[in-house]
Amino acid sequence: MKKDIIKSLYFLILFLPVLNCSEDDSQKNKNEIKVKNEEEELRSVKSQNFIVYSEKINDTEFSIIYPPTDFVIKRSDNADSHLTVFYSKKDNNNSYVWFYFPSSAKTINVFDLERLVNSKGGIVEANKWKIVGRAENTPYKWVKVQFDYLKKQGEQEIEGSILICKVPQTRHAFYIILNYSDKSSEWFLPEAKKILESISFQEIENS
């Protein structure tokens, strides 16, 4: 019995490097496949005249695929927030997709951000938007609450939505604003939808 155990241990020690090598090769193959898929996806994106835009927000890398022929990006950072706005080129930048991220020093949850947006002096009151709807069921898992608003501006009616969002696997909340006129909704909403559908989040590992 003792000899059988010793033989088994000897066999295991003898073949352990081979097994480890096989696991390493397997992991290497997986990594190669992952890189290959990412490269193919990027080539596919470029071939369709789209660009991948990404930036680091707090502990997360935030990426969006967008058509540069239709949108221009403007960024603004301060001690309290990061702003990234995709302005549509089709109507002199009056239609836009606006991303607001509180700074890492001001981590805020979904509930508090919703209250802040609708508070006295908040973005709704400051822009004189009239809230006409609220929904918690949206096509995007990271959108927790959606507010729809209206505003009369001259001869046109401004429409829009405020999406209160949460970065997956974190406590960080942020919001997105879709703003457009009633005359531009037919072409703007499909373009804005493509941007929202392309959003991805990647946690940044601390080394």
Side-chain angles (χ1 to χ4, degrees):
M1 179 72 176
K2 195 170 185 181
K3 290 182 178 180
D4 291 338
I5 294 174
I6 292 172
K7 285 182 180 179
S8 299
L9 288 173
Y10 176 76
F11 179 83
L12 183 60
I13 292 170
L14 183 64
F15 285 93
L16 191 58
V18 178
L19 293 173
N20 286 339
C21 180
S22 177
E23 289 176 0
D24 291 342
D25 289 343
S26 176
Q27 185 60 43
K28 183 180 178 181
N29 290 336
K30 287 180 181 178
N31 291 337
E32 288 177 350
I33 291 171
K34 182 180 179 182
V35 171
K36 185 177 180 181
N37 289 340
E38 288 176 350
E39 289 175 349
E40 289 177 352
E41 182 179 353
L42 187 57
R43 280 198 297 270
S44 175
V45 167
K46 287 182 177 178
S47 68
Q48 297 175 31
N49 297 319
F50 284 81
I51 286 181
V52 178
Y53 170 82
S54 64
E55 63 175 283
K56 295 178 181 179
I57 302 294
N58 299 322
D59 300 324
T60 304
E61 185 173 18
F62 172 78
S63 300
I64 294 175
I65 299 173
Y66 77 100
T69 54
D70 296 333
F71 289 92
V72 58
I73 297 178
K74 293 187 179 180
R75 295 184 70 257
S76 175
D77 296 328
N78 57 46
D80 297 325
S81 64
H82 308 274
L83 302 179
T84 301
V85 187
F86 292 76
Y87 288 102
S88 174
K89 296 179 180 180
K90 292 183 179 180
D91 65 345
N92 298 319
N93 299 342
N94 290 320
S95 298
Y96 55 79
V97 183
W98 172 308
F99 293 83
Y100 172 94
F101 294 88
S103 68
S104 56
K106 296 190 68 174
T107 300
I108 188 169
N109 60 38
V110 170
F111 177 75
D112 289 337
L113 186 58
E114 181 181 347
R115 285 199 310 174
L116 182 64
V117 164
N118 290 286
S119 65
K120 185 174 179 60
I123 193 167
V124 172
E125 182 180 80
N127 286 282
K128 298 180 179 179
W129 293 333
K130 179 183 179 182
I131 299 298
V132 294
R134 182 185 187 278
E136 295 185 4
N137 295 321
T138 73
Y140 314 101
K141 292 182 179 180
W142 37 268
V143 176
K144 303 306 177 183
V145 184
Q146 174 176 328
F147 293 96
D148 297 322
Y149 63 81
L150 293 174
K151 178 183 178 181
K152 194 72 176 177
Q153 186 170 299
E155 297 181 356
Q156 63 180 351
E157 192 169 69
I158 300 299
E159 303 177 36
S161 298
I162 306 170
L163 312 179
I164 308 295
C165 313
K166 178 178 173 292
V167 177
Q169 311 303 321
T170 75
R171 296 177 299 164
H172 296 293
F174 66 99
Y175 66 75
I176 301 172
I177 297 174
L178 309 180
N179 190 85
Y180 52 93
S181 70
D182 54 349
K183 296 178 181 178
S184 64
S185 61
E186 186 174 343
W187 55 262
F188 174 76
L189 288 177
E191 292 182 352
K193 182 181 178 182
K194 289 178 183 178
I195 288 179
L196 295 179
E197 289 177 342
S198 76
I199 294 174
S200 64
F201 306 91
Q202 180 66 45
E203 185 179 357
I204 299 172
E205 296 182 3
N206 296 320
S207 56

